[in-house]
Amino acid sequence: MNKRLIASAFIIVAPAIATPASAGDAVYGKFPVTLKSWMGNETNSVAYTGQIARQVLHDSLKKLAGKGNGKPNAALQAEMMLYFEGKGKNRKILAPTSKGPFVIKQKTVGEISNPNLAGKTYKGTVSGMPNNMTGPELIKFWIGKAASANKGVDMANGYNYPQLISKFILGAVFYHQAVDNYLDEKMTAGNKPNNKPYKKGKHYTGKEHSWDEAFGYFGFPAHGLMLSPSQLYDIAKRKPTAVSIADANSDGKIDLYNEMVFGPAYYAAGSDKSKKTAYAKTIGKAFLDGRKLIASADGNALNSSQLGQIAQYARVIEENWEKTLAEATFKYAGSCFKDLQAIKANPSDAKVLAKYVKHWGELKGFSLAMQTGRKNLGDTATRLNRLIGFGPVMPNSSQVIDIDSGGNYVKDQASGINEYMGHMLKVQKLIVDKYGIKARKNDQLAGMSDMLKKLGSGSAAEND
Amino acid sequence: MPILDWINGEYIPHLLDGFLNPQKRVSLLYLSIAAALAIIWSVYVSRGSVRKGFLIARDKLFSQRVWFSHSARGDYKLLLANHALLLLIAPLLLSKLTATTALFFFFIDIFPSGAAVLSSTSPLLVAITYTIFLFLLDDFSRFATHFALHRVPALWAFHKIHHSAETLSPLTVYRTHPLEAVIFSFRAIVVQSSAISIFVFLFGSSVDLVSIYGVNAILFLFNVTGSNLRHSHIPIGYGRLAEHFLISPAQHQIHHSLDPNHYDRNFGAALAIWDWIAGSLCKSRTDMVLKFGLTDRENLQSQKLLHFYFSPFRELFDRGRNDPFYRNRNHRNLTKNAV
Ligand SMILES: [Zn+2]
């Protein structure tokens, strides 16, 4: 690692970490093998290759979803399904790929691991879409639609499938698996104990590996705690300037396994760039501290106080992760509002409409992602789903209200763009009220508080 | 000492802000402009004699008689005490932002298709409309509040404190009972939150205010044209025609006058049109000689803070006891006896 990087990393991380004895201390890199029954000569118990491979499958699937030419395309659909529920070591990494000096080490998914997405997708019903589909059913439905849409976008109904599929998976696979599985039941006393291997023949314990898997779903580089939000952001964007920041082992290549930033961490960093939040750092630090705690048990079962502490770290991760999804939903509700304003000013501008459909896909995807966590969002979910609807309200006021048994969209006249703009504002208010988010990008209500500030406080005691 | 910290950290800075911030009526900027206007007016009424003009200005605006009178010292006590009191109760009052947001979503609920209907209007036009609308609404609400303070006996008991000033200086603007201050801040909340929520609702985004030094441009003009002289002994009039539209300093002095013909006249703040419409307009004359204050005996005597704060409550209590069916149709006879 180059010296400048270490030095700058120290400046950034030093205040955030309680006892940074060295930069290595802030890296989710190497933890000793503590499993007492293990006789092999492995020295590192950390492993989360399956999770990173799924990040890559997600990125590649998103890319494929935008490849359609507007006509039914069975081959494309089959290829998407290969990335969603298939297996196969030779699946090429379609994204992220090398970009200029940002050279990526792996070319195939199999070089990392060989899992699928479907098996780990939220199995509950998705109440924000018609027909009570489960998570995997909804993604398969969208894959089918994407295959026959032009560049993955259905401009008549207002669906941008790459966005819908991608944003939903950020919740339904990554967030869901981390907070509702690995950080939840797998962190209880009776499950995946720390004095036994995770699986027969593995050199890491049940708790070590469960924790690592959750970490892998966050998509955070091992040295991520030493990086600023904009550095994390630049890595995800594969910027030339980010090469030296990402390439922690200075081998000239970015290792997707532990040097790359993926979706969940990218959105956390996106909020953090506002300097009003520190989601990525908070989540990354809770993961690291939790892992240190598990390592300190030295291969013994965790006692109740250790389990209690682990549960606390897990709650910090969950709470902050949930907020990153809420921030994104908030942000895209604001984008849709602005797009609708532009559409009203210029109804025939196809570019503006395409932007709206894209932003709506992100809004819908993230709002559904929020509903795949450990908790049932109850009334909040109902209200979010009603406000956003099954599809965007289009310039001619039409909106998808159902999907028939043949998988065709059923449309109706909605009460108009203006009312839907009001819905977007209500989404923003609902999210602020329920989640107290702070970054609040594209805040359409902030204008009112600015206007109030302009009027000043006056003096109430002035008499006429 | 937490109290000292509070005085240093909150009280004093807020107090100073009142004199430095151009959003406040008695900021030094407006006070100096008022002083200059007073001198110019004095020279004018002395038919151009600068020496005589300065003497008049000194006598009417800069004399001990004005700034150190019994009445002026009463103003200062109220100014200093109210300032502390209002700082302490401010957090208890409804937040403007809460009110604005609530109103905004209320409009969206009752009139969903109206949201952002005017969003393609030019920003400049919107800003001008908003600035004028806000000024009109604000000024009318001041008139209406002031009208009620005089006409509702229970409210007059409090507003009387303001009218008990016998000498007027720009700081008399702060001679206010704290309960009135609560009413005034409620008025400001209603005006600002409705103006902002209506405009954001109709135009779909935040709207600019046409402003000068961060102040509503119209209000700025009002302040630089001598709003501070309304509480003074400089009777600048605007002439018979203009006084139908704008309240001159002399017209507001009429509002404070002891002459029975002047009772309940000129409630307006900046605009005279509300008084004109309501029939309460009284134009100034160059030959008027005004006396200020109340004829009520107790009010003539006391400039004590406790008296200011509690006498309205005692008055209401006594009235209620003496005459439970008290209905005041002509409160002036009870409170301001003709000289
Ligand atoms: Zn009055």
Side-chain angles (χ1 to χ4, degrees), chain A residues 450-456, chain B residues 23 96 100 126-142 187-199 207-211 214-219 270-271 274:
Chain A
D450 292 343
M451 286 168 76
L452 276 172
K453 273 183 212 138
K454 253 189 203 160
L455 297 188
Chain B
Q23 285 183 328
K96 283 181 188 169
T100 311
V126 180
I128 292 171
T129 316
Y130 170 64
T131 307
I132 295 173
F133 179 82
L134 191 67
F135 173 73
L136 288 177
L137 187 64
D138 187 67
D139 197 65
F140 172 73
S141 73
R142 284 174 193 270
R187 180 204 65 81
I189 290 173
V190 170
V191 167
Q192 298 183 2
S193 61
S194 37
I196 292 176
S197 56
I198 289 171
F199 271 75
V207 161
D208 268 333
L209 182 72
V210 181
S211 59
V215 193
N216 183 327
I218 305 174
L219 207 62
L271 294 179
W274 319 119

Side-chain angles (χ1 to χ4, degrees), chain A residues 337 341 344 418-419 421-422 425-426 429 445 447-449 451-452 454-464, chain B residues 23 25 104-105 109 112-113 115-117 119 134 146 159 162 173-174 176 180-181 184 204 206-208 231 252:
Chain A
F337 182 92
Q341 232 168 8
K344 278 174 50 174
N418 292 331
E419 182 165 355
M421 288 171 78
L425 298 179
K426 284 185 174 178
K429 182 163 191 300
L445 297 172
M448 290 201 277
S449 107
M451 286 168 76
L452 276 172
K454 253 189 203 160
L455 297 188
S457 54
S459 173
E462 283 176 6
N463 210 323
D464 290 306
Chain B
Q23 285 183 328
R25 198 186 282 186
F104 176 76
F105 282 105
D109 282 337
S113 57
V117 274
S119 63
L134 191 67
H146 195 183
H159 187 53
H162 178 64
V173 78
Y174 289 122
T176 298
E180 278 185 293
F184 295 153
S206 63
V207 161
D208 268 333
H231 292 123
H252 191 70

Side-chain angles (χ1 to χ4, degrees), chain B residues 254-303:
Chain B
I254 287 174
H255 176 73
H256 278 267
S257 161
L258 270 172
D259 183 337
N261 294 320
H262 293 160
Y263 291 167
D264 288 357
R265 297 284 160 201
N266 300 348
F267 297 112
L271 294 179
I273 50 173
W274 319 119
D275 280 299
W276 192 14
I277 294 167
S280 51
L281 187 71
C282 179
K283 284 151 282 178
S284 70
R285 292 153 54 115
T286 43
D287 60 349
M288 359 175 254
V289 179
L290 302 176
K291 281 193 164 169
F292 306 125
L294 300 168
T295 52
D296 214 88
R297 296 229 49 90
E298 51 173 3
N299 280 306
L300 266 176
Q301 282 158 356
S302 180
Q303 299 285 345

Side-chain angles (χ1 to χ4, degrees), chain B residues 20-335:
Chain B
L20 300 173
N21 184 343
Q23 285 183 328
K24 305 290 161 73
R25 198 186 282 186
V26 296
S27 81
L28 291 174
L29 172 70
Y30 302 137
L31 285 178
S32 0
I33 293 171
L37 281 173
I39 293 167
I40 293 167
W41 176 85
S42 303
V43 171
Y44 171 75
V45 296
S46 323
R47 300 217 177 84
S49 161
V50 175
R51 209 183 84 87
K52 230 170 135 191
F54 269 97
L55 286 176
I56 292 177
R58 192 185 68 184
D59 182 48
K60 287 186 182 291
L61 192 59
F62 302 108
S63 68
Q64 283 205 357
R65 194 169 64 83
V66 171
W67 291 94
F68 295 100
S69 68
H70 223 53
S71 169
R73 276 179 273 167
D75 295 356
Y76 307 147
K77 286 180 209 164
L78 273 169
L79 162 63
L80 296 173
N82 282 351
H83 196 79
L85 200 63
L86 291 177
L87 264 181
L88 292 174
I89 64 165
L92 304 177
L93 299 174
L94 176 70
S95 122
K96 283 181 188 169
L97 187 57
T98 310
T100 311
T101 322
L103 260 179
F104 176 76
F105 282 105
F106 173 73
F107 293 138
I108 284 191
D109 282 337
I110 56 161
F111 190 39
S113 57
V117 274
L118 301 176
S119 63
S120 27
T121 318
S122 99
L124 179 66
L125 184 63
V126 180
I128 292 171
T129 316
Y130 170 64
T131 307
I132 295 173
F133 179 82
L134 191 67
F135 173 73
L136 288 177
L137 187 64
D138 187 67
D139 197 65
F140 172 73
S141 73
R142 284 174 193 270
F143 167 82
T145 310
H146 195 183
F147 189 90
L149 287 172
H150 279 256
R151 293 303 186 87
V152 178
L155 296 178
W156 169 247
F158 294 91
H159 187 53
K160 235 163 126 175
I161 303 300
H162 178 64
H163 280 271
S164 69
E166 289 166 352
T167 56
L168 302 182
S169 81
L171 292 182
T172 307
V173 78
Y174 289 122
R175 187 183 181 100
T176 298
H177 191 280
L179 193 104
E180 278 185 293
V182 172
I183 295 173
F184 295 153
S185 60
F186 186 70
R187 180 204 65 81
I189 290 173
V190 170
V191 167
Q192 298 183 2
S193 61
S194 37
I196 292 176
S197 56
I198 289 171
F199 271 75
V200 175
F201 172 70
L202 292 177
F203 296 95
S205 64
S206 63
V207 161
D208 268 333
L209 182 72
V210 181
S211 59
I212 303 174
Y213 292 122
V215 193
N216 183 327
I218 305 174
L219 207 62
F220 179 84
L221 290 177
F222 172 59
N223 283 331
V224 295
T225 49
S227 72
N228 276 308
L229 292 176
R230 55 201 283 120
H231 292 123
S232 80
H233 298 260
I234 306 278
I236 295 182
Y238 291 162
R240 306 194 64 77
L241 180 66
E243 285 188 352
H244 284 90
F245 300 97
L246 295 169
I247 295 275
S248 68
Q251 277 174 296
H252 191 70
Q253 289 152 21
I254 287 174
H255 176 73
H256 278 267
S257 161
L258 270 172
D259 183 337
N261 294 320
H262 293 160
Y263 291 167
D264 288 357
R265 297 284 160 201
N266 300 348
F267 297 112
L271 294 179
I273 50 173
W274 319 119
D275 280 299
W276 192 14
I277 294 167
S280 51
L281 187 71
C282 179
K283 284 151 282 178
S284 70
R285 292 153 54 115
T286 43
D287 60 349
M288 359 175 254
V289 179
L290 302 176
K291 281 193 164 169
F292 306 125
L294 300 168
T295 52
D296 214 88
R297 296 229 49 90
E298 51 173 3
N299 280 306
L300 266 176
Q301 282 158 356
S302 180
Q303 299 285 345
K304 287 205 172 80
L305 190 62
L306 285 179
H307 172 77
F308 288 147
Y309 275 8
F310 295 108
S311 66
F313 295 108
R314 205 181 55 217
E315 184 185 324
L316 289 183
F317 179 75
D318 287 350
R319 268 194 213 163
R321 202 178 45 182
N322 294 340
D323 180 5
F325 301 103
Y326 172 76
R327 296 274 192 287
N328 177 46
R329 290 191 205 287
N330 194 353
H331 73 280
R332 287 165 294 181
N333 293 341
L334 279 167
T335 50

